[in-house]
Amino acid sequence: MKKIAVFTSGGDSPGMNACIRSVVRSAIYLDLDVYGIKYGYDGMIRGEITKMESHSVSNIVQTGGTILKSARSEEFRTKEGRKKAYENLKKHGIEGIIAIGGDGTFTGANLFYDEYGIPVIGAPGTIDNDLYGSDYTIGFDTAVNTALDAIDKIRDTAASHDRVFFVEVMGRHSGYIAIQSGIGGGAEMVMVPETSTTIDDVISKLREGRDNKKGSSIIVVAEGDAQGSAHEIAERVKIHTPNMDIKVTNLGHIQRGGGPTAFDRILASRLGLAAVEGLMNGQKGVMVGVIDNKITYTNLKLAISKSKPLNQELVRLTKILSI
């Protein structure tokens, strides 16, 4: 293998640039030509493929977002679109690709590999930490710390006014951001897709807190909770707790941005190198990850089809610490 390419796709996550940097410099160190594909699968179809040098990734390890840009691609969902993408890769002599992204990115990469056999390795870049085959995904730690910083600030206001705050964090299918920021922020309750929490449970917890002389409360809600959004949950709770001052904050896309933490920079750098070495060692159709702090390779089909369970020790810890 002499030429490889790297691209980012789907939602951005802090640390993607650190991973791009690692892929580029690792490839050069290992005597490979490396190309960057802009705008994900759309750029692959349009032929936005440029050779990268060491200086191409200077001064980006500390930045959020992705210098290669990201985009959703409807055309790549079609056979015609994927054929154009493959022809553009072959035009540049590219023999392997590294896809940095999440579930949607890997679904496309797996289909592309099945159809054309071009070696592909996925590097998990998503703040949700929801991919099977890695203990952590690139951007998760930064997102948790961003959410935690916001929760700390909200608690100051909650305590000053004896208010209840419902704080919504990202996590449509995964409660990892909610559970970790909730524990770190001292939340009285955390609502996540993986567990069943009723409105009655919330009301009971709030009343219990007032009985225990808690002046204020923080409830962290993952956006994918079965009871609905934080706004919807708060409105239903208000009906039964008219004497409580209830507010809602949706942290939204601030969780995606910002410079990556040291943990995410190092994780991204490790995964970038492992992805390049994996291609050189014959790995293909896999996702590179870290389990028990060791580099692993998991079949892409398994990574995108098998659910990653929430750490039940953390769920139990949340309940114990919220009394």
Side-chain angles (χ1 to χ4, degrees), residues 32-62:
L32 297 175
D33 287 340
V34 58
Y35 292 77
I37 304 170
K38 279 203 164 185
Y39 298 102
Y41 292 117
D42 255 4
M44 199 182 295
I45 292 169
R46 295 194 302 262
E48 295 194 41
I49 303 172
T50 307
K51 188 175 180 183
M52 302 186 78
E53 308 291 348
S54 183
H55 65 79
S56 304
V57 291
S58 295
N59 201 31
I60 67 168
V61 70
Q62 78 280 14

Side-chain angles (χ1 to χ4, degrees), residues 25-319:
R25 292 194 169 169
S26 297
I28 292 170
Y29 178 81
L30 295 168
D31 294 325
L32 297 175
D33 287 340
V34 58
Y35 292 77
I37 304 170
K38 279 203 164 185
Y39 298 102
Y41 292 117
D42 255 4
M44 199 182 295
I45 292 169
R46 295 194 302 262
E48 295 194 41
I49 303 172
T50 307
K51 188 175 180 183
M52 302 186 78
E53 308 291 348
S54 183
H55 65 79
S56 304
V57 291
S58 295
N59 201 31
I60 67 168
V61 70
Q62 78 280 14
T63 61
T66 162
I67 63 165
L68 291 179
K69 309 292 186 178
S70 187
R72 313 281 181 183
S73 178
E74 289 302 317
E75 191 175 358
F76 193 78
R77 296 175 184 270
T78 68
K79 285 190 174 182
E80 295 77 14
R82 294 191 293 274
K83 184 179 180 183
K84 287 180 188 176
Y86 178 72
E87 287 172 349
N88 282 327
L89 293 178
K90 297 311 291 181
K91 191 184 299 180
H92 287 83
I94 292 167
E95 303 162 277
I97 51 177
I98 294 170
I100 306 170
D103 182 79
T105 302
F106 293 167
T107 299
N110 183 62
L111 181 58
F112 198 52
Y113 170 67
D114 282 346
E115 287 182 345
Y116 291 99
I118 186 166
V120 56
I121 291 185
T126 168
I127 65 170
D128 289 335
N129 198 35
D130 59 349
L131 288 168
Y132 179 81
S134 188
D135 290 340
Y136 299 101
T137 58
I138 298 165
F140 168 67
D141 186 68
T142 305
V144 168
N145 278 280
T146 297
L148 182 60
D149 181 62
I151 291 168
D152 287 346
K153 291 177 170 64
I154 289 167
R155 185 171 286 283
D156 290 344
T157 293
S160 296
H161 295 272
D162 287 344
R163 286 175 176 160
V164 174
F165 266 87
F166 286 84
V167 181
E168 184 173 307
V169 299
M170 285 185 166
R172 192 172 297 124
H173 305 293
S174 170
Y176 268 97
I177 293 176
I179 203 83
Q180 294 215 10
S181 62
I183 291 172
E188 276 64 43
M189 180 175 275
V190 178
M191 302 177 70
V192 296
E194 295 91 339
T195 63
S196 177
T197 305
T198 67
I199 296 299
D200 286 342
D201 292 334
V202 178
I203 294 167
S204 295
K205 173 60 72 173
L206 292 176
R207 286 175 175 166
E208 178 186 304
R210 290 297 162 96
D211 291 342
N212 290 334
K213 298 182 180 180
K214 280 189 178 183
S216 62
S217 295
I218 299 285
I219 296 178
V220 177
V221 182
E223 63 178 318
D225 187 77
Q227 296 298 330
S229 69
H231 279 281
E232 292 169 336
I233 294 168
E235 289 302 316
R236 292 165 67 188
V237 171
K238 281 180 184 179
I239 296 171
H240 303 281
T241 57
N243 296 324
M244 292 185 187
D245 186 1
I246 295 177
K247 303 293 182 185
V248 179
T249 299
N250 186 336
L251 300 185
H253 283 77
I254 68 165
Q255 296 160 90
R256 286 198 184 280
T261 59
F263 182 91
D264 272 329
R265 297 181 198 192
I266 294 165
L267 173 67
S269 299
R270 291 182 68 192
L271 295 181
L273 170 60
V276 174
E277 290 184 329
L279 282 177
M280 294 189 71
N281 293 329
Q283 294 280 359
K284 49 193 173 183
V286 298
M287 182 193 81
V288 62
V290 172
I291 297 178
D292 294 333
N293 205 30
K294 295 178 181 177
I295 293 293
T296 60
Y297 297 92
T298 300
N299 185 280
L300 274 176
K301 287 185 176 69
L302 196 60
I304 59 182
S305 65
K306 190 166 182 178
S307 61
K308 181 178 179 177
L310 195 63
N311 187 323
Q312 291 303 307
E313 182 184 342
L314 296 181
V315 175
R316 179 170 176 265
L317 184 61
T318 302
K319 293 178 180 178

